[in-house]
Amino acid sequence: DGFPECKGKIKWMKDMWQTDPCYSSYGVNGSLCSFLIYLSEAESWCPVLPGRVVPPVIEEDVLEDAAVRGHFEGLHQFLHNKTEFRWIQQRIKSMEEIWLEAGRSLSTKYNLGDRKAKQVLVHPGVLTKEAGLKIAENAFSGGPLGELVQWSDLISSLHVLGHHLHLSASLPSLNKFFGTQTGGCPSRHSLVEPNLIYTDIIGLRQIQKVLKTSWIKYKCIIRVLDSFGTEPDFNHADWAKKFNLKSPFGGLSLTPMQFYTMFPHTPDNTFLGFVVQHQLSLEENEKLKSIQRKKQALIYGKSATFWKGKKSYLDVIHKYLDIHGTVDNSTLIPNYVTNHGIIKGTEVQTLLRQSKVFVGLSFPYEGPAPLEALANGCAFLNPRLKPPHSSLNTEFFKGKPTIREVTSQHPYAEEIGEPYVWMVDMDNQTDVERAITAILNRTIQPYLPYEFTCEGMLQRVNVLIEKQDLCSPAMSWPPLSALQVVKAEVGTSCKQACRRAGLICEPAFFPYLNNANNLASHNIACQTSEFSDGHLVFPAYDSTREHCLFQSDSLLYSCVRSEHSLNRICPCRDYIKDQVALCKACL
């Protein structure tokens, strides 16, 4: 149970244990017992035998205490000359003062002593030459920056929090880190045993390639940065195959909470986030203060292709405002646009401070820029998407391991609402004019949710490192006191049901609810019950016969699926305003 590969591996060992001398160095001698001990202790394919204690991979006591760092020196020396990290280093440098100040500020509010300095491997697969995506190279010429922003902010957080970073952006550097040998056995020791590994889906595949079967030993300490999220049915390899959920990024069979997202949109995953660069150095701030707002709009879209077919929408806005852009190609945009070309982040801030409104064109989805606009006191025009876009109807999302529906260009901003964010139907002139006149008639103060500030991110990353343990079967965080059980209406998902109650779905509590005695203590009486892995909505309740259905496959717990004949039993929790990843008792 929970070790589906075990049988097959025993069979393989029986035939193959003599093909590599390293198996006998682990004590394998041809007996079933020795196979089981090897497969459960040297590798992790089988359950550990009763009565045997596996020594922990890393002795906790050798970890020194973590102290909040007051400088970036060691990190800069490391990043220097590494071309893959050039843009990342530039961002870290430009925000250095703010990060250090955030570290000091957080230390005064919370006790950050009594933490161990973890060994952390950071391997962004998207940056590797082997991935061939050229993201690092194109960063300076208008290429996508969202993932790079998130990587640099994660690296800064880990550094400021006092952990030991090991950065890798190539297969050779991974090999070096793990001290990999080419034999079939896992190596006896990597040079440093990591306590945590941050990577992305490309990077995880590279780690699997380098470590072969022994990657399993690290499986529960891996965190996968995944902007748009991975839903449980796409993550479950057998389920995805059976129901033909084709995705080049799915089928990894991790715990869904190991996927770390850009925005808090997929409750089955963990919200990592990033920082909106708004606090500038003191001297830049003084400069910005003197900037006067003009009757101007800045258009959100670096690539001229995003502007295609949007002229009549822009014409309406142009009746009221001068229009500015930062576009890679002037020939494809209306001639009334003042185009500044691709410019540095600080220059974009200046333009945002001069503008009344930042105009969405419906693409790109869920980027950092709209929050930068709000942080600079500039309203955001957020186009509705009708019908909502998802992998079922939109080219961009095809192949993404999720069928989440995106209802506007920026669903997170949509939640913030007026007077900061104005929803518009781009094809409805009256609607656009209504929003523009409302924006022109008021002044908004700069606004940025705490979760997107340096301090907010430090707080969240620290709590996740200290409390989120996906290696031990006992669920200790979030604390059970935060659980609020909601019985969803028939046909409603837990994401919706919790939300209607002003709460959010917390998948860590599913195992606790997957039990008749625990449900009874929450006034849900199961006259009869059964376990099944035939659906993603268990635990659920069939009110016609007071029958409970429990989930027999822990990878199939899901906050987002619903069933038209069953009431889902939902694990909800409260959250801190502007820090939705954490419950009120989570600190």
Side-chain angles (χ1 to χ4, degrees), residues 238-278:
D238 295 338
W239 184 280
K241 204 165 164 183
K242 186 171 158 189
F243 293 96
N244 209 17
L245 301 174
K246 287 200 173 72
S247 164
F249 306 111
L252 293 169
S253 295
L254 298 172
T255 301
M257 286 179 282
Q258 287 176 267
F259 295 100
Y260 274 35
T261 59
M262 198 85 174
F263 287 97
H265 46 54
T266 307
D268 292 298
N269 301 156
T270 299
F271 165 49
L272 171 64
F274 58 93
V275 172
V276 172
Q277 192 171 0
H278 68 112

Side-chain angles (χ1 to χ4, degrees), residues 139-260:
F140 295 97
S141 54
L145 298 178
E147 290 161 301
L148 292 179
V149 164
Q150 194 175 37
W151 280 114
S152 47
D153 296 346
L154 172 65
I155 290 167
S156 300
S157 302
L158 293 166
H159 175 84
V160 172
L161 289 168
H163 298 291
H164 298 303
L165 280 175
H166 305 272
L167 298 175
S168 152
S170 69
L171 284 176
S173 65
L174 265 188
N175 273 312
K176 190 173 158 203
F177 176 80
F178 285 111
T180 340
Q181 301 135 345
T182 43
C185 266
S187 65
R188 280 301 218 182
H189 291 294
S190 75
L191 306 175
V192 175
E193 276 298 344
N195 306 96
L196 265 179
I197 297 172
Y198 293 93
T199 186
D200 48 24
I201 292 171
I202 294 170
L204 177 61
R205 297 236 154 94
Q206 293 171 335
I207 289 171
Q208 290 171 330
K209 192 171 162 183
V210 160
L211 289 177
K212 304 194 174 57
T213 56
S214 60
W215 83 275
I216 289 288
K217 162 171 141 187
Y218 301 103
K219 186 172 181 177
C220 65
I221 60 169
I222 291 172
R223 305 291 181 263
V224 178
L225 274 60
D226 175 24
S227 308
F228 294 99
T230 295
E231 290 175 339
D233 32 1
F234 287 85
N235 167 60
H236 192 292
D238 295 338
W239 184 280
K241 204 165 164 183
K242 186 171 158 189
F243 293 96
N244 209 17
L245 301 174
K246 287 200 173 72
S247 164
F249 306 111
L252 293 169
S253 295
L254 298 172
T255 301
M257 286 179 282
Q258 287 176 267
F259 295 100
Y260 274 35

Side-chain angles (χ1 to χ4, degrees), residues 38-77:
Y38 174 83
L39 288 169
S40 60
E41 297 178 20
E43 300 187 26
S44 314
W45 298 107
C46 295
V48 176
L49 294 173
R52 283 189 66 89
V53 179
V54 183
V57 174
I58 185 151
E59 301 299 332
E60 279 298 329
D61 54 13
V62 301
L63 294 178
E64 72 229 45
D65 289 338
V68 173
R69 289 196 176 100
H71 59 80
F72 270 90
E73 279 139 36
L75 185 57
H76 285 316
Q77 280 161 351

Side-chain angles (χ1 to χ4, degrees), residues 363-375:
F363 187 85
Y365 306 103
E366 299 185 306
L371 295 184
E372 281 170 18
L374 303 188

